[in-house]
Amino acid sequence: MRTTRAVPLLLATLLAATACGAQVERSTAETVTVPRCAQPVPYRAPERAVAYEAGSADKLFALGLGEKVRGYVMPPANPPVEESPWAADYAATEKLSTDLLNRELVVDAGADLVVAGWRSGFSDERGITPELLDRLGIGSFMHTETCWNYPGFPERVAPLEGLYEDMHRLGAIFRVPERADDVVAGMQARVAAVTDAAPRLDPPPSVFLYDSGTDRPNTAGNQVPPNDIITLAGGRNVLDDVDGRWTDVGWETVVERQPEIIMILDYGDQSAEQKIDYLTSLPQLRSVPAIANRNFFVLDYNEGISGPRNIDGLERFGAYLREFRR
């Protein structure tokens, strides 16, 4: 691991309360202790971070940390980085791979921190876990939203609260806590504006998210950002009783729950239009109000995974619901 200079005394004695009640503990002169999920971990100030997917890179770029990012890994399903609000930061940063995260890539890059999610970047099956990186002397940071079933140190936080938590934690790790406070305050103000303007329909418009799948559709449970986007904008995720992240259900469940709106997650080989065409072609869905009335909302992939663009998705869906009529 790269040896870093001692942090200033003010930061060395930092004690910051975070969004979900966890705390950044007092650090030594060289490290600051920050939760990785529910596990307290000491971090040196990173200089060569590697980010997996746009959600990770966007968080770092939103904090003004482009110079501390060694590179990013962007699987091909992710929409083009040129569409990001931080396109200039991506252009100035090396794309290390268009494959999945792996140990060799991280080591070859000389990374001193890897930012990813549990089972969304980090994976036992692929042989790259925080524990492995600890043994290699490489730091790791996991998106709080993915921590709900992290082995040994689970942490359950509402997805958008997890986004705020991540910004605070990354701010502490990179020694820019005041910058993180400002970024989070800006996000919270935007969220408050949406919730204040949300329609108060009774019952709330019911929404089914369609990710992909033919035999069984993949959708959003209550532990991923779209659940919060739907709820805060004034709707209800028809799968909000599913205690999980991305999950498969049967088409009969979609019919049974009669969603009034279908939210399309836009990514991958199928365009949003192709996904809509597929759904409207299924005879078994003809009785679903969203299909009969062609009520579709397209959510960009990077608005649906944990990252600053969740707020963009919330604002857009909030505007959509304000125009929704039964």
Side-chain angles (χ1 to χ4, degrees), residues 2-17:
R2 177 188 294 268
T3 301
T4 58
R5 60 181 176 81
V7 297
L9 180 61
L10 176 62
L11 292 176
T13 59
L14 175 68
L15 180 64

Side-chain angles (χ1 to χ4, degrees), residues 54 57-58 61 79-90 302 309 312:
D58 284 359
F61 294 149
V81 297
E82 290 79 11
E83 297 176 4
S84 169
W86 297 278
D89 290 289
Y90 282 103
N302 288 303
R309 283 184 261 180
D312 300 334

Side-chain angles (χ1 to χ4, degrees), residues 19-20 143-148 155-166 222-229 231-232 306 310:
C20 71
H143 304 306
T144 306
E145 173 255 331
T146 69
C147 289
W148 74 285
E155 183 178 23
R156 187 184 181 109
V157 180
L160 280 193
E161 290 298 325
L163 170 61
Y164 306 150
E165 184 78 1
D166 289 345
N222 60 22
Q223 293 296 303
V224 288
N227 187 74
D228 281 7
I229 288 172
T231 303
L232 292 170
S306 182
N310 292 157

Side-chain angles (χ1 to χ4, degrees), residues 110-158:
D112 57 8
L113 180 74
V114 180
V115 181
W118 177 242
R119 302 192 67 81
S120 177
F122 296 121
S123 167
D124 283 320
E125 292 81 1
R126 293 197 299 275
I128 180 163
T129 64
E131 292 77 10
L132 170 69
L133 295 180
D134 286 346
R135 294 196 294 271
L136 296 175
I138 300 171
S140 58
F141 177 89
M142 278 191 291
H143 304 306
T144 306
E145 173 255 331
T146 69
C147 289
W148 74 285
N149 63 347
Y150 177 55
F153 299 95
E155 183 178 23
R156 187 184 181 109
V157 180

Side-chain angles (χ1 to χ4, degrees), residues 16 18-24 32-39 43 63 141-145 147 155 157 162-177 180 184:
T18 53
C20 71
Q23 290 185 327
V24 177
V32 61
T33 299
V34 177
R36 183 178 66 196
C37 294
Q39 179 183 17
Y43 290 90
L63 289 170
F141 177 89
M142 278 191 291
H143 304 306
T144 306
E145 173 255 331
C147 289
E155 183 178 23
V157 180
L163 170 61
Y164 306 150
E165 184 78 1
D166 289 345
M167 305 309 285
H168 283 303
R169 292 179 181 183
L170 287 167
I173 291 169
F174 282 89
R175 317 315 198 245
V176 291
V184 171

Side-chain angles (χ1 to χ4, degrees), residues 19 62-63 160 163-165 167-168 177-193 311 315:
L63 289 170
L160 280 193
L163 170 61
Y164 306 150
E165 184 78 1
M167 305 309 285
H168 283 303
E178 293 86 0
R179 198 180 304 167
D181 289 344
D182 289 344
V183 170
V184 171
M187 290 177 175
Q188 291 173 325
R190 292 169 64 191
V191 171
I311 314 301
E315 289 174 333

